[in-house]
Amino acid sequence: MNVLHVLNYAWPYIDGYTTRSIGLTTAQRRHLDGVTVNVAVSPYAPLAQSVDERFRTDVWNPEQQIRAVRHRGGEPIAPPSWERAAIGLSPVTAARFEAELESIVRRTGADVVHVHHPHYVAEVALRVAARLGLPAVYELRCFNGNYDLGTGSPYRTLRGRWQNALEFALARDASAVVTISDGLADRLRREGVDDENLFVVRNSVDTTRFTAAGAPAPWQERLAAHREKGDDTFLPLHVGYATTFERMENLDAAVRAAEIAHATLRERGIELTLTLAGGGRDWPRIAARVEASAAREHIRLPGHVSYADMPEFYRSLDLFLVPRGAHVVAMDTTPLKPLEALASGLPLLVTDLPAMRELLAAREDVRFCATDAPSMA
């Protein structure tokens, strides 16, 4: 069987969307005999900000993806500036994409088209699959419209609802729908997606890359040994998080929590350091907040960490913090980073949101807290 994955963006971009794509295509090639996997990439602007050209695998590299993009004079043709794909207004790019994608489907001999959100990528892929008589899987890892909801802006609220409505309509038409959490699946059911066609395929982690091998002894053991020796130096405690800097990540509260906890822990002979790795639209605001902090020497913003170096990043920590706020998009969308941290042997402190409970409630090495800074501290 030949599976063609159709993505909004792929290598060299790196975020939760691409990390799951890497895991899914790797697992299909590794574990399903007789399955050929190809990846087609849309001509639309990527909904990602981080680029990581260092990280490559046998299935994740520029040679293993097909760009469904028209060219002129050897250069890819960019979407017209007046198009607004998010609200379904991209007739020129959609027509070009459709022609290129149909050619790719025919050339690769695809038996199944597996398209991943957003809706403007899926609409084209589902139309091509229907015309060629192929089954089509639609995978929704989140509802992109939810990023606009809860902002208080009438325009953004309307835009978010419209985007979600477009997603739901396509999901109802797909041969099968895959999502990543029970919360997202429940929403799709309420919007009329047939339960027989709906499947939850949860996030996972590559345990050949993310392991506890080489990690220091658990911090509590080091604390006990430190106190038994009567050592009067400060014992380091390194807390960290890696993410795309967005408002939903609630990084203000993480910084404030570090300020509160740093003062308290010093009284107990413990020196707290907080590392917030990554970049994104909210980075300048958080950087200014850290610069103004009395604990700025103990809060690190190293910027983007290559995915190739993430196992080492986890091994450098004593505790992994997930401070996500109660934003609409965070309620049902389960993250990937906590699973990588757990596989690396780290205990977790996470905010008490439905998605976090669904993903982590059964774990003994996870503690939950409210989204405010004092609770986190």
Side-chain angles (χ1 to χ4, degrees), residues 4 19 33 41 50 67 74 80 99 118 210 243 261 281 296 312 368:
L4 177 67
T19 301
D33 292 335
V41 183
S50 295
R67 298 281 300 172
F210 297 99
T243 189
R281 289 178 293 187
R296 61 182 175 276
E312 182 179 348
F368 294 91

Side-chain angles (χ1 to χ4, degrees), residues 68-212:
V69 179
R70 286 275 176 92
H71 287 71
R72 182 183 295 123
E75 294 296 324
I77 302 174
S81 60
W82 56 266
E83 288 189 338
R84 296 294 182 268
I87 61 172
L89 182 62
S90 59
V92 176
T93 302
R96 293 169 179 164
F97 179 28
E98 187 169 342
E100 290 299 311
L101 185 60
E102 181 170 341
S103 173
I104 291 168
V105 171
R106 293 182 184 279
R107 295 197 315 267
T108 59
D111 299 299
V112 177
V113 175
H114 187 136
V115 60
H116 305 258
H117 79 283
H119 64 86
Y120 45 86
V121 175
E123 181 180 18
V124 171
L126 294 176
R127 193 160 54 238
V128 169
R131 184 162 57 249
L132 298 180
L134 297 176
V137 177
Y138 185 20
E139 180 164 331
L140 285 145
R141 289 95 174 266
C142 73
F143 303 128
N144 278 9
N146 283 356
Y147 282 95
D148 281 337
L149 302 183
T151 60
S153 163
Y155 167 73
R156 292 188 63 181
T157 298
L158 183 62
R159 183 178 68 176
R161 289 174 178 169
W162 177 243
Q163 287 186 78
N164 286 348
L166 294 173
E167 301 280 16
F168 300 143
L170 292 172
R172 288 190 289 267
D173 290 340
S175 307
V177 177
V178 169
T179 192
I180 66 173
S181 72
D182 292 336
L184 293 174
D186 288 344
R187 178 69 187 279
L188 287 163
R189 289 189 190 95
R190 293 197 301 271
E191 296 295 336
V193 177
D194 192 332
D195 198 49
E196 292 183 357
N197 299 332
L198 182 59
F199 302 88
V200 176
V201 179
R202 302 184 192 284
N203 282 330
S204 61
V205 58
D206 185 350
T207 53
T208 64
R209 290 193 67 233
F210 297 99
T211 73

Side-chain angles (χ1 to χ4, degrees), residues 40-72:
V41 183
S42 86
Y44 290 103
L47 294 173
Q49 299 177 55
S50 295
V51 172
D52 188 353
E53 296 188 4
R54 280 187 53 207
F55 182 73
R56 302 185 184 207
T57 72
D58 291 340
V59 303
W60 196 254
N61 59 67
E63 289 74 36
Q64 296 296 322
Q65 57 191 33
I66 308 167
R67 298 281 300 172
V69 179
R70 286 275 176 92
H71 287 71
R72 182 183 295 123

Side-chain angles (χ1 to χ4, degrees), residues 181-306:
S181 72
D182 292 336
L184 293 174
D186 288 344
R187 178 69 187 279
L188 287 163
R189 289 189 190 95
R190 293 197 301 271
E191 296 295 336
V193 177
D194 192 332
D195 198 49
E196 292 183 357
N197 299 332
L198 182 59
F199 302 88
V200 176
V201 179
R202 302 184 192 284
N203 282 330
S204 61
V205 58
D206 185 350
T207 53
T208 64
R209 290 193 67 233
F210 297 99
T211 73
W219 189 82
Q220 288 284 8
E221 292 182 14
R222 282 180 275 145
L223 176 63
H226 184 80
R227 288 177 172 169
E228 185 176 336
K229 289 190 301 183
D231 194 332
D232 59 1
T233 61
F234 286 105
L235 179 67
L237 173 63
H238 192 184
V239 180
Y241 185 40
T243 189
T244 300
F245 280 45
E246 297 279 359
R247 293 268 182 170
M248 63 171 279
E249 296 296 347
N250 199 28
L251 299 178
D252 319 64
V255 171
R256 178 58 185 148
E259 293 169 343
I260 298 169
H262 181 265
T264 303
L265 289 171
R266 278 187 66 88
E267 297 174 0
R268 305 179 190 177
I270 299 166
E271 191 78 87
L272 172 69
T273 298
L274 173 67
T275 296
L276 300 174
R281 289 178 293 187
D282 209 27
W283 194 93
R285 189 177 67 86
I286 297 302
R289 172 70 180 83
V290 170
E291 182 60 29
S293 171
R296 61 182 175 276
E297 294 181 3
H298 303 279
I299 302 174
R300 301 172 182 169
L301 301 177
H304 174 71
V305 175
S306 170

Side-chain angles (χ1 to χ4, degrees), residues 7-26 46-48 50-52 55 59-60 65 117 141 307 336-337:
L7 301 173
N8 170 217
Y9 54 95
W11 188 93
Y13 295 96
I14 195 79
D15 60 5
Y17 182 94
T18 50
T19 301
R20 179 175 168 94
S21 301
I22 293 166
L24 184 58
T25 53
T26 299
L47 294 173
S50 295
V51 172
D52 188 353
F55 182 73
V59 303
W60 196 254
Q65 57 191 33
H117 79 283
R141 289 95 174 266
Y307 199 57
L336 272 160
K337 288 288 193 297

